[in-house]
Amino acid sequence: MTEPKPPAPKAPSWKPRTRAAQAMGTLPTHDEPVTGAVVPPVHMATTYLRDPDNQYRSGYVYGRPDNATVRQAEAVLAGLEGAEQAALFGSGMAAATAVVLALGAGAHVVAPREMYWAFRHWLLDAAPRLGIKTDCVDMTDPDALRAAIRPGETKLVWVETPSNPLWSITDIAAIAAIAHEAGAMLAVDSTVATPVFAQPLKLGADIVMHSATKYLYGHSDVIAGALACARSDELWSRILAVRSQHGAILGPFEAWLLLRGMRTLDVRVRTQAESAALLAVRLGRHPHVASVLYPGLPAHPGAALAARQMTGFGGMLSIRVTGGEAAAIGAAARVELWKRATSLGGAESLIEHRASIEGANSPCPPDLLRLSVGLEDPEDLYNDLDRALRAGNA
Ligand code: PLP
């Protein structure tokens, strides 16, 4: 069904951030030739004309494997990640599972103990029924990875950095070297870092993954996922085949919304990271906060590595509340401005008692509250949390 893509038109070498700001994608400019619109169109068609001589010279055949608006958004993301290609999916989970499904039965995967809980659960619970086994290790310890690798059998090493919900930092270059030496691929969930603060492919990763639901969209209004590859090799072709066969491609309108979201990605995440850093410092002095987990704080175990491998520390942090689980749940119940909800990366700040959602195998302590810092005034965010923490100790 899938025809080879035609070569992209030659574009001037604008920087990825410039291209994202103008949603340029595959074209030198997205300015629409018929109307001169400065916003790209949405291509809704599910099927495309075949040429009279039976060819598909447009490069488009059918909407399940491919779509022009999806390609446009993929090209912007590929630019931001320094990738050869990107592929959009209907969710982050669809993107992550497509990588593993593309490995096939008999493959062995090494994943971190600390990672997005639902994907860990799928790896440990569902994937074995498909003949794919996973071992989870402390990925911040390269020796732990070395010990878990099964020579000839390990096909994929999965990394999430910074990782949920302790924001541990994994050394991508070191892990890439170990994975490659064993003949395995390295995939990095870079949802929290965003392409603004980290570019895993440049550090040796083969695939980078995003829950685009989060910062790439930035407005908590679309579920989507993305992969981007260093090389469009055989594994990448199998991933695209999984996407097509499982019907996991993102819809055209959602892809258009992603183009819109990525236009403001840079400015949003820098502001969120600035506010997160301010909150981390102030909450670190709070009498009812036992500790703050944020890779931008010098006391964080991953601080030095984060400073080396990232250009910013991101908008996510966690606090451990004095008084334990009940105090943490109580504080989350009393906030007025922070939204008590799961997810992250939106314009509104979210607070979550993470142990309530993570279930078995999670390293999340019961007194931990996860904070996704939005775009509100950080003073308001601090005051709201301060009130909520103090009220429990009045
Ligand atoms: N990876 C990370 C780090 C996440 O936080 C999430 C969702 O919370 C996912 C992957 C899964 O993405 P989605 O919810 O878009 O399927």
Side-chain angles (χ1 to χ4, degrees):
M1 256 262 145
T2 320
E3 294 283 313
K5 292 184 178 181
K10 266 256 170 287
S13 55
W14 306 121
K15 293 199 166 46
R17 175 178 163 187
T18 303
R19 301 180 62 75
Q22 292 206 5
M24 280 180 196
T26 53
L27 306 171
T29 165
H30 65 60
D31 296 344
E32 204 266 306
V34 178
T35 64
V38 299
V39 168
V42 192
H43 293 276
M44 296 300 291
T46 56
T47 192
Y48 303 85
L49 284 177
R50 195 187 265 277
D51 300 326
D53 62 357
N54 222 29
Q55 303 299 304
Y56 274 112
R57 282 193 190 75
S58 71
Y60 295 98
V61 177
Y62 187 54
R64 180 156 44 72
D66 203 1
N67 169 277
T69 307
V70 170
R71 263 195 215 179
Q72 184 80 353
E74 286 170 348
V76 170
L77 181 62
L80 289 170
E81 287 290 358
E84 188 175 327
Q85 277 187 25
L88 297 178
F89 292 76
S91 70
M93 279 296 283
T97 53
V99 178
V100 178
L101 291 171
L103 301 173
H108 174 246
V109 177
V110 186
R113 276 204 197 111
E114 186 194 339
M115 66 183 290
Y116 175 57
W117 72 277
F119 186 44
R120 181 184 56 232
H121 185 69
W122 183 86
L123 284 170
L124 296 177
D125 196 54
R129 281 181 258 132
L130 305 171
I132 300 167
K133 295 204 184 89
T134 299
D135 282 310
C136 289
V137 301
D138 174 0
M139 205 55 85
T140 64
D141 174 7
D143 287 337
L145 171 62
R146 273 194 203 95
I149 292 232
R150 299 185 195 168
E153 217 185 308
T154 304
K155 301 290 180 219
L156 177 71
V157 176
W158 187 271
V159 158
E160 180 180 315
T161 181
S163 56
N164 267 290
L166 309 176
W167 318 116
S168 300
I169 306 294
T170 295
D171 188 335
I172 296 173
I175 298 296
I178 297 167
H180 293 160
E181 202 183 302
M185 309 286 275
L186 172 63
V188 176
D189 182 338
S190 197
T191 300
V192 169
T194 82
V196 175
F197 294 137
Q199 300 197 317
L201 301 180
K202 292 194 180 130
L203 296 170
D206 301 287
I207 291 176
V208 58
M209 176 259 161
H210 288 278
S211 167
T213 312
K214 315 299 197 257
Y215 290 102
L216 296 183
Y217 277 95
H219 295 77
S220 308
D221 51 11
V222 182
I223 297 282
L227 299 175
C229 65
R231 287 164 309 283
S232 49
D233 53 11
E234 200 201 322
L235 177 67
W236 186 251
S237 303
R238 290 204 301 271
I239 289 170
L240 293 183
V242 167
R243 182 179 77 166
S244 177
Q245 289 154 359
H246 292 215
I249 195 170
L250 189 65
F253 184 60
E254 286 74 15
W256 183 88
L257 284 171
L258 178 58
L259 276 169
R260 185 170 77 168
M262 289 190 293
R263 294 177 84 156
T264 57
L265 174 72
D266 198 273
V267 69
R268 281 189 283 103
V269 299
R270 287 186 198 283
T271 301
Q272 284 165 295
E274 209 174 287
S275 296
L278 283 173
L279 288 170
V281 170
R282 288 190 75 181
L283 289 166
R285 296 195 288 257
H286 198 282
H288 305 306
V289 173
S291 64
V292 177
L293 305 170
Y294 183 62
L297 291 178
H300 190 277
L305 177 57
R308 249 194 355 259
Q309 105 179 350
M310 298 170 73
T311 54
F313 301 106
M316 295 300 299
L317 67 148
S318 297
I319 55 174
R320 297 188 64 178
V321 178
T322 58
E325 179 168 23
I329 293 174
R334 283 187 294 271
V335 289
E336 289 172 19
L337 182 60
W338 293 78
K339 307 279 179 207
R340 211 168 23 260
T342 197
S343 200
L344 57 105
E348 62 292 305
S349 293
L350 305 180
I351 187 166
E352 186 178 29
H353 179 251
R354 203 56 202 166
S356 298
I357 198 166
E358 297 232 346
N361 300 314
S362 166
C364 180
D367 57 1
L368 180 142
L369 292 175
R370 188 179 83 169
L371 307 177
S372 168
V373 179
L375 293 169
E376 305 91 340
D377 190 308
E379 188 70 22
D380 285 342
L381 290 173
Y382 179 80
N383 289 339
D384 189 38
L385 208 44
D386 174 45
R387 259 193 310 270
L389 289 162
R390 283 180 196 277
N393 292 276

